[in-house]
Amino acid sequence: MADPSSYRPKPGQIPDSPGVYRFRDEHRRVIYVGKAKSLRQRLASYFQDLAGLHPRTRTMVTTAASVEWTVVSTEVEALQLEYSWIKEYDPRFNVKYRDDKSYPYLAVTLNEEFPRVQVMRGQKKKGVRYFGPYSHAWAIRDTVDLLLRVFPVRTCSAGVFRNAARTGRPCLLGYIGKCSAPCVGRVTPEEHRELADEFCDFMAGRTGTYIRRLEKDMAIAAEDMEYERAARLRDDIGALKRAMEKSAVVLADATDADLIALAEDELEAAVQIFHVRGGRVRGQRGWVTDKVEAVDTAGLVEHALQQLYGEESGDAVPKEVLVPALPEDADAVSQWLGDRRGSQVSLRVPQRGDKKSLMETVGRNAQQALVLHKTKRASDLTTRSRALEEIAEALGLETAPLRIECFDISHLQGEDVVASMVVFEDGLPRKSEYRRFAIRTFEGQDDVRSMHEVVSRRFRRYLAEKERTGEWDLAADGAEPGPGGVGTGTGTGAAEPGPDAAGTGAGTGGAEAVGMGPLEDDGRPRKFAYPPQLVVVDGGRPQVAAARRALDELGIDDVAVCGLAKRLEEVWLPDDEDPVVLPRSSEGLYLLQRVRDTAHDFAIRYQRAKRHKRIRTGPLDAVPGLGEARKQALIKHFGSVKRLRQATIEQICEVPGFGRKTAEAVAVALARSAPAAPAVNTATGEILEEEDVAASPGPSS
C-alpha cells in the first residue's frame, strides 16, 4: 500500500488549466483516468487526509504510485481524450459499462455497389447504415420481410449474389417480388441504390411521405381501372403500416431522441437506453457496471454518454438526449455530442409531459435489469459453489458454510432499536427462517450491546432446543455430533438429516437437506434448532467481538464469526487485528455483501414498521369496535384528542354514528390514558401542551 504523499506533485507544479490525468501503479499500469476543468484543484483533492476520502478513492490513491497529466485547450478536448484513454488503457478503477448481451442491428451496407440489408452484431463498420439495436434478431427479420414488398432491396450474401449472376437466375425472393434482382440486371445499380436510400429513410422515421405517395398511386390506379396494381399497392400500404405498428408511438411530435435512465445501489449500476426515432421506440439496450470509483448519478450518466456515442457520428447521435441527471460539465458534454453529430444536440432532464413519463418507463426497465442481473448472478449453481469455497478459504473454515446467518441492528437516533437475522442456505436466501428481534435489555443507541444481546438470544434458543429434544444426553453418551455440534439423533434415537446427508457440495440438493433441519413430532421444522456454520454481522471489529463473546459465554466454539464493514467492504475476524480484504471481483465477497444487504433491508423494514405503529398508536385504539372512519370523524368534530377528552358523553353522542354506549367507551378510554402530570421540557422548564399530532388516530385494532 503506497503513501500518496510519496508521489504527490510539488506545489505549483500542476497547471491551473483543463486537462486529463492518469494514475499509475508501481508496475506503470494505468489504474485510473480522469478529467478536470482545473487540474490543480482536482489533483489536490486526491492528496488530502486519507480519512476524508471516499473509501473507493482511498483505495485507488493508495494503490497508485505516480500521477501524470496532459493539458488541453478546452473541456471538450478533455472529454474526448478521457474517453480515448479509458478505451486504450482499460483502467481498473474507472466505471466501465459491460453489455449484458450482444445486441443485433438492422444494417444497410451502403459501402457496396449493390447495398444489402442484413442483421449485424459486434463492432460497427464504416460505410454501413445501422438501425436499432433490437432486442431480438427475429424482430429485425419480421420488419424486413414486411418492408421488402415496398423496398425490394438485396438481402442475399455475396456468394449467393455471385452465383445468381453467373447462372442468370435470381433467388426465390427475386421470383416472388421481394428483391429487385440486381444480380441479373433487372434494375441498374443507381435504381437499386435509390431503393436502399428509400429503405433507410423509412427506417429513420420519414414514413409519412412514402405512405401518402402509395395512397395517391393506389387512387390513380383505381381510377384507371388497374385493379390488380391498386390491390398490390393496397397490400404494400398495409405492410408499411404493420411495420410501423411494431414500434408504438410514444412521443406525438415525431421526436428523435435517446432516453437514458439509471438504477443503482452501493455496488452496481444498470443503465437502459431507449432509441426513439420519429416518435417511435426503434431500439433498446442496456449495460451493468460495478461502481469501482466514487461516482454519483451525474458521473454515471457522463460515462454512459461516452460509451454510447464515443464511436458514433452523424444521425447515430440524435438531436435530443434525455438523462436523469446532467453531468458536471453539461455544456462541454453537449458540445462534444454536437461535434460528433455535426449539429446542435440538446442534453437535458425531462420535467413534464410525455417525455418525463417515458423516462419513468426507461427507469423501471433499468431497475428490472439490475434486479435480473443480481438474480442471475445469485442463482447460478457454479457461481454459488465458488463463492462458498472462496469464503471458506478466506476465513480458514474446514468446510464451505452451507448455512450462513447474518445479524444487523437498526434504530432511529436510539429509538425503536431492533435487529434482524437472515438465513442463506447453499448461497440462496431462506426467507422462512428470517427472524426479527426487539432489543429488550436496555434503551438507547449501542450497536455493540445490541449485537451481543441478539446473538445471545438466538443461540440460547438453539441450546434450549437441543436440551428439549435430548440431544445433550446423546452427546454425553458418546453419540457423534453432526455439523455445528448438533447431535445426529433425536431424543428418541431417530436419525436427523444434516447437510452432509445430501453430499458436501454446495448444490441445490444440499440446500434442501440443510433446509429441513431438525423436525418437530408433527414434521414441522423447529425454530432456531439448526445452527449455522458461519455468523456474519453488519459491522467491524466491535460488533464481531460482541458476537464472539456471546457465543463464548454460551460455550459454543464451533460456529465461525465474521463481520463485513460497509465503508471499505472489509471482512473482520474476531482475533485478527487486520481485516481480510477480498478482491472486488470475488464471488465470495459478492455473496457476503448480498447477505449483509439483505439483513440490513430486513432490519430497516422492521424498524420503520415499529416506529410507524408507535407514532400512529393513540388512546382511541383501546376502544373496541372503533374503526378508522369513526376515529377520523371524532377528531374532525373536536379538532384534537385534548378537546375530545374534555367533552361530555352527550357532546360525543352528537357526532354522527355514535350512540351512548360507544360514547361512554370512548370517554372511559380517554380517561384511562389521561396524563398524570403535565409534560415538562427539561432543558427550558416549559410546560408542554399535548401534541395534537401525537394523538392522531391510529389504525384500528
Side-chain angles (χ1 to χ4, degrees), residues 481-601:
V486 181
T488 55
T490 62
T492 59
E496 291 182 333
D500 294 332
T504 57
T508 53
E512 293 173 359
V514 173
M516 289 289 292
L519 304 177
E520 295 281 10
D521 294 338
D522 59 2
R524 294 177 302 170
R526 298 199 304 269
K527 296 180 180 179
F528 297 107
Y530 193 82
Q533 285 80 48
L534 175 64
V535 167
V536 180
V537 299
D538 184 6
R541 289 184 65 183
Q543 287 83 358
V544 174
R548 182 73 265 174
R549 187 172 67 254
L551 294 175
D552 291 341
E553 291 171 355
L554 296 173
I556 299 174
D557 57 3
D558 50 5
V559 175
V561 180
C562 74
L564 186 61
K566 274 187 178 177
R567 284 183 59 82
L568 295 176
E569 303 297 339
E570 298 170 330
V571 180
W572 290 91
L573 298 177
D575 301 323
D576 294 351
E577 294 185 0
D578 297 319
V580 176
V581 180
L582 295 175
R584 288 283 309 176
S585 59
S586 166
E587 292 296 336
L589 177 61
Y590 176 78
L591 177 57
L592 289 176
Q593 289 169 335
R594 185 163 178 254
V595 172
R596 187 268 317 278
D597 293 343
T598 302
H600 182 68
D601 294 342

Side-chain angles (χ1 to χ4, degrees), residues 39-239:
L39 286 170
R40 179 179 300 170
Q41 294 180 11
R42 177 61 58 82
L43 289 178
S45 67
Y46 289 102
F47 296 101
Q48 56 180 290
D49 183 11
L50 289 177
L53 294 177
H54 188 282
R56 296 187 181 95
T57 305
R58 185 187 312 146
T59 304
M60 188 274 291
V61 297
T62 54
T63 303
S66 63
V67 62
E68 56 192 38
W69 55 86
T70 299
V71 176
V72 296
S73 302
T74 65
E75 298 170 25
V76 178
E77 290 183 23
L79 187 69
Q80 181 62 51
L81 184 58
E82 179 193 32
Y83 169 75
S84 300
W85 278 356
I86 290 176
K87 184 179 178 182
E88 177 182 356
Y89 296 112
D90 192 25
R92 55 176 290 200
F93 286 101
N94 276 97
V95 166
K96 296 180 290 295
Y97 293 104
R98 55 183 183 271
D99 264 313
D100 52 7
K101 64 180 75 173
S102 176
Y103 288 94
Y105 285 82
L106 171 58
V108 183
T109 59
L110 297 176
N111 56 350
E112 297 182 7
E113 181 183 7
F114 297 99
R116 175 191 176 192
V117 175
Q118 64 183 105
V119 178
M120 276 192 177
R121 297 176 185 264
Q123 291 290 334
K124 294 185 176 180
K125 300 177 181 179
K126 188 175 181 180
V128 179
R129 185 82 180 271
Y130 291 90
F131 302 95
Y134 289 78
S135 300
H136 304 283
W138 57 260
I140 302 177
R141 297 187 181 98
D142 286 352
T143 301
V144 170
D145 185 63
L146 291 170
L147 295 181
L148 288 180
R149 287 184 53 92
V150 186
F151 309 108
V153 187
R154 167 198 163 204
T155 58
C156 60
S157 65
V160 173
F161 187 89
R162 286 193 299 267
N163 184 62
R166 179 176 55 82
T167 61
R169 296 174 57 188
C171 63
L172 177 62
L173 293 179
Y175 281 110
I176 65 176
K178 288 192 174 182
C179 179
S180 56
C183 53
V184 295
R186 288 185 184 174
V187 294
T188 64
E190 292 75 18
E191 290 172 337
H192 186 268
R193 180 166 293 275
E194 184 178 352
L195 281 174
D197 290 339
E198 291 178 348
F199 180 92
C200 291
D201 287 344
F202 186 88
M203 289 301 302
R206 293 182 281 275
T207 58
T209 302
Y210 296 100
I211 292 180
R212 285 192 297 269
R213 188 184 71 186
L214 291 176
E215 288 175 343
K216 182 178 179 181
D217 292 343
M218 181 181 67
I220 294 174
E223 289 177 2
D224 295 341
M225 292 186 291
E226 297 178 3
Y227 299 120
E228 291 184 1
R229 181 169 179 267
R232 188 170 60 253
L233 291 172
R234 178 201 61 198
D235 294 341
D236 290 348
I237 294 171

Side-chain angles (χ1 to χ4, degrees), residues 402-471:
L402 298 185
R403 180 181 171 103
I404 301 175
E405 294 181 1
C406 184
F407 297 84
D408 185 33
I409 308 298
S410 180
H411 57 81
L412 181 64
Q413 298 179 347
E415 294 187 354
D416 300 317
V417 185
V418 300
S420 67
M421 182 189 91
V422 301
V423 178
F424 274 60
E425 290 181 345
D426 202 16
L428 294 175
R430 187 170 178 81
K431 295 185 179 181
S432 62
E433 299 284 322
Y434 289 8
R435 297 291 180 266
R436 306 182 303 185
F437 302 84
I439 302 304
R440 301 171 178 170
T441 57
F442 68 96
E443 295 182 356
Q445 177 181 350
D446 192 333
D447 289 356
V448 175
R449 288 182 63 187
S450 300
M451 187 64 69
H452 179 273
E453 175 186 335
V454 171
V455 175
S456 297
R457 287 166 56 185
R458 184 266 181 266
F459 283 93
R460 273 201 300 268
R461 291 285 301 273
Y462 157 59
L463 296 178
E465 288 291 339
K466 287 181 64 177
E467 185 175 6
R468 186 177 69 84
T469 58
E471 293 175 15

Side-chain angles (χ1 to χ4, degrees), residues 262-504:
L262 290 164
E264 56 183 307
D265 56 20
E266 293 182 354
L267 305 173
E268 294 177 305
V271 61
Q272 283 285 310
I273 304 102
F274 276 21
H275 302 278
V276 179
R277 299 294 181 269
R280 300 173 182 270
V281 177
R282 297 293 186 182
Q284 175 186 0
R285 65 194 301 187
W287 298 291
V288 180
T289 183
D290 292 323
K291 295 173 70 172
V292 293
E293 63 174 298
V295 61
D296 56 7
T297 301
L300 290 170
V301 168
E302 182 174 322
H303 288 301
L305 293 173
Q306 286 181 317
Q307 177 154 331
L308 188 60
Y309 303 113
E311 303 294 329
E312 303 292 354
S313 61
D315 291 341
V317 182
K319 298 178 182 178
E320 192 172 5
V321 179
L322 304 178
V323 294
L326 290 176
E328 180 181 354
D329 302 326
D331 293 338
V333 175
S334 181
Q335 184 179 344
W336 174 72
L337 291 173
D339 292 344
R340 305 207 65 82
R341 175 178 169 81
S343 61
Q344 186 176 0
V345 174
S346 172
L347 178 66
R348 63 188 185 87
V349 179
Q351 300 294 331
R352 64 183 67 85
D354 293 341
K355 293 178 181 178
K356 187 177 189 328
S357 299
L358 184 57
M359 176 65 81
E360 293 172 354
T361 300
V362 184
R364 288 193 292 271
N365 277 266
Q367 186 64 48
Q368 182 63 30
L370 183 62
V371 172
L372 182 61
H373 165 74
K374 290 182 173 292
T375 303
K376 285 182 177 178
R377 186 173 178 181
S379 60
D380 181 72
L381 175 60
T382 304
T383 302
R384 298 202 316 269
S385 300
R386 185 167 66 251
L388 294 173
E389 291 170 0
E390 289 179 0
I391 292 174
E393 182 179 355
L395 303 185
L397 306 180
E398 295 181 0
T399 59
L402 298 185
R403 180 181 171 103
I404 301 175
E405 294 181 1
C406 184
F407 297 84
D408 185 33
I409 308 298
S410 180
H411 57 81
L412 181 64
Q413 298 179 347
E415 294 187 354
D416 300 317
V417 185
V418 300
S420 67
M421 182 189 91
V422 301
V423 178
F424 274 60
E425 290 181 345
D426 202 16
L428 294 175
R430 187 170 178 81
K431 295 185 179 181
S432 62
E433 299 284 322
Y434 289 8
R435 297 291 180 266
R436 306 182 303 185
F437 302 84
I439 302 304
R440 301 171 178 170
T441 57
F442 68 96
E443 295 182 356
Q445 177 181 350
D446 192 333
D447 289 356
V448 175
R449 288 182 63 187
S450 300
M451 187 64 69
H452 179 273
E453 175 186 335
V454 171
V455 175
S456 297
R457 287 166 56 185
R458 184 266 181 266
F459 283 93
R460 273 201 300 268
R461 291 285 301 273
Y462 157 59
L463 296 178
E465 288 291 339
K466 287 181 64 177
E467 185 175 6
R468 186 177 69 84
T469 58
E471 293 175 15
W472 285 116
D473 299 334
L474 286 174
D477 291 340
E480 184 178 353
V486 181
T488 55
T490 62
T492 59
E496 291 182 333
D500 294 332
T504 57

